[in-house]
Amino acid sequence: MPSLLERYRDFLPVTAQTPLLTLNEGNTPLIHVPRLANALGVDELWLKFEGMNPTGSFKDRGMVMAMAKALEAGAQSVVCASTGNTSASAAAYATRAGLEAVVIVPSGKIALGKLAQALMYGAKLVVIDGSFDDALNIVREMGQAHPITVVNSVNPYRIEGQTTAAYEICDTLGGAPDYLALPVGNAGNITAYWRGFTRYFERGHIASRPKLLGFQAEGAAPIVYGQPVCHPETVATAIRIGNPASWSYAVAARDESGGLIDSVTDDEILAAWRDMARLEGVFCEPASAAGIAGLRKLVGAGRNDGKGRFVAVVTGHGLKDPELAVKQFAAPEPVAADLGTVEALLGWEASVAVH
Ligand code: F0G
């Protein structure tokens, strides 16, 4: 399988000079999930499992493009602000490209797996006493004042790379879905999907474009409220963002597609998160369940009739945030290491000894 930049080079800003960087990103599974569809009350549902990318999130699609272009332009170092996944991806691809990476993250709110990644891939990690939005402001200023390339989605190559997920969905399904549901944080991904579907539509690869259904966490829903949120809070730390960089693009994507951007509560996110794992064996990080939580909310309230083909974007892997997963359950107490005790614990009848 050719790399992502090679496969979709006609749709990307790839030139003869662009290094074809890769960690084998993209080509992620599109999983048919009839049990989850039934539980939600929708006809046909697929999960685009972006957690299967090399660093465990959709960010790798944009990062490979941004890093290749940084390399092409002769950059030596890159910087990003992050709620965790962007920093993991930037750190990995910078290493791959032979560039130095600086990542700036809010203190105490980064899922453990993501922190481990940034450290292991060898980024310079700066933890600030502030929010993601504060970190992004610092990064923008650093980009102006120093010879360093910003690889947040304010870098246009990030959005371009992320359009590839829309192409893959259409290529796999043989057309566009009717609806695409996804979480919204800094709003780069909803922007990228709309651009991707639109490009495929304009070049005649698909006959229609989906309605985009974006979901923010209730405590971090500036687009829904129509104003920035100064102190965003949500259990879904990946989308704990109060002033999204791609706000106006997200609103355009929503309106041009005839879709919506709504909010879901933390409880709705956590319920959808558990259901995805228990009903279909798809373990994602909490923020990634916002699309499914939102679909359930819309169909449950009769705001969507559930008819047609739905794709939900599952943005990051469950192993990013193992602490929160384990906290959902009572810790099992160790018991004596013999068959009888295990049988009794499971409520089974004692087995007859075989001699
Ligand atoms: N899901 C996950 C797992 C994310 O990490 C993010 C964003 C989103 C959804 C929202 O995507 O920002 O394009 O609207 N994470 C960024 C980060 C902010 O720093 O990793 P968006």
Side-chain angles (χ1 to χ4, degrees), residues 58-59 81-86 132 183-189 238-239 241 285 287-288 315-316:
F58 70 99
K59 305 288 181 180
S82 184
T83 58
N85 281 325
T86 300
F132 167 84
V184 174
N186 211 24
N189 211 27
I239 52 172
I241 293 175
E285 64 172 289
S288 306
T315 48

Side-chain angles (χ1 to χ4, degrees), residues 235-236 265-276 286-287 289-290 293 296 324 328:
V235 69
T265 65
D266 279 3
D267 283 348
E268 288 168 335
I269 290 173
L270 294 176
W273 182 46
R274 288 189 298 261
D275 284 350
M276 291 163 73
R296 174 180 278 156
L324 192 67
Q328 306 295 304

Side-chain angles (χ1 to χ4, degrees), residues 217-282:
E218 195 179 66
I223 300 177
V224 179
Y225 304 136
Q227 58 183 51
V229 173
C230 292
H231 300 289
E233 265 317 329
T234 169
V235 69
T237 52
I239 52 172
R240 187 174 164 269
I241 293 175
N243 191 11
S246 297
W247 189 322
S248 59
Y249 294 125
V251 167
R254 175 194 72 189
D255 296 344
E256 288 170 24
S257 76
L260 55 79
I261 297 178
D262 201 350
S263 64
V264 283
T265 65
D266 279 3
D267 283 348
E268 288 168 335
I269 290 173
L270 294 176
W273 182 46
R274 288 189 298 261
D275 284 350
M276 291 163 73
R278 294 164 77 115
L279 293 177
E280 300 287 4
V282 175

Side-chain angles (χ1 to χ4, degrees), residues 70-115:
L71 207 51
E72 184 180 340
Q76 299 199 326
S77 50
V78 299
V79 64
C80 69
S82 184
T83 58
N85 281 325
T86 300
S87 59
S89 187
Y93 282 89
T95 291
R96 193 76 170 162
L99 305 177
E100 178 195 53
V102 177
V103 305
I104 307 187
V105 302
S107 93
K109 302 289 180 181
I110 305 296
L112 189 64
K114 304 175 188 181
L115 211 51

Side-chain angles (χ1 to χ4, degrees), residues 26-354:
N27 195 27
T28 56
L30 187 68
I31 307 170
H32 187 220
V33 286
R35 275 199 208 99
L36 190 60
N38 193 38
L40 263 51
V42 307
D43 278 355
E44 184 184 336
L45 181 61
W46 302 76
L47 302 180
K48 181 66 170 163
F49 192 15
E50 290 289 279
M52 297 302 284
N53 274 297
T55 77
S57 87
F58 70 99
K59 305 288 181 180
D60 294 345
R61 294 178 183 278
M63 205 54 78
V64 72
M65 185 79 255
M67 213 62 78
K69 293 307 271 188
L71 207 51
E72 184 180 340
Q76 299 199 326
S77 50
V78 299
V79 64
C80 69
S82 184
T83 58
N85 281 325
T86 300
S87 59
S89 187
Y93 282 89
T95 291
R96 193 76 170 162
L99 305 177
E100 178 195 53
V102 177
V103 305
I104 307 187
V105 302
S107 93
K109 302 289 180 181
I110 305 296
L112 189 64
K114 304 175 188 181
L115 211 51
Q117 288 179 292
L119 293 167
M120 284 297 289
Y121 294 134
K124 285 192 178 154
L125 178 69
V126 181
V127 180
I128 60 160
D129 216 355
S131 65
F132 167 84
D133 305 285
D134 297 327
L136 186 56
N137 286 338
I138 295 170
V139 162
R140 285 181 198 263
E141 286 172 31
M142 281 173 78
Q144 308 255 302
H146 301 277
I148 193 164
T149 304
V150 176
V151 291
N152 280 104
S153 55
V154 295
N155 177 325
Y157 298 122
R158 277 280 313 281
I159 305 270
E160 285 299 322
Q162 285 175 212
T163 62
T164 56
Y167 313 145
E168 284 183 11
I169 289 171
C170 297
D171 290 350
T172 306
L173 292 178
D178 298 304
Y179 295 94
L180 184 96
L182 78 172
V184 174
N186 211 24
N189 211 27
I190 192 169
T191 302
Y193 270 98
W194 186 239
R195 191 173 299 172
F197 287 123
T198 299
R199 192 170 288 153
Y200 244 34
F201 179 69
E202 284 172 351
R203 299 213 197 161
H205 289 263
I206 50 175
S208 63
R209 294 177 292 177
K211 292 184 165 51
L212 301 192
L213 309 174
F215 297 97
Q216 302 198 289
E218 195 179 66
I223 300 177
V224 179
Y225 304 136
Q227 58 183 51
V229 173
C230 292
H231 300 289
E233 265 317 329
T234 169
V235 69
T237 52
I239 52 172
R240 187 174 164 269
I241 293 175
N243 191 11
S246 297
W247 189 322
S248 59
Y249 294 125
V251 167
R254 175 194 72 189
D255 296 344
E256 288 170 24
S257 76
L260 55 79
I261 297 178
D262 201 350
S263 64
V264 283
T265 65
D266 279 3
D267 283 348
E268 288 168 335
I269 290 173
L270 294 176
W273 182 46
R274 288 189 298 261
D275 284 350
M276 291 163 73
R278 294 164 77 115
L279 293 177
E280 300 287 4
V282 175
F283 181 31
C284 62
E285 64 172 289
S288 306
I292 292 298
L295 273 185
R296 174 180 278 156
K297 176 181 167 178
L298 293 184
V299 175
R303 292 166 61 195
N304 184 299
D305 63 9
K307 303 250 171 294
R309 182 184 268 174
F310 291 75
V311 171
V313 183
V314 182
T315 48
H317 202 283
L319 296 175
K320 292 274 188 177
D321 199 351
E323 283 179 314
L324 192 67
V326 170
K327 266 196 218 150
Q328 306 295 304
F329 303 90
E333 282 295 320
V335 296
D338 63 74
L339 175 62
T341 307
V342 173
E343 285 171 335
L345 186 78
L346 295 172
W348 293 4
E349 275 179 40
S351 51
V352 180
V354 180

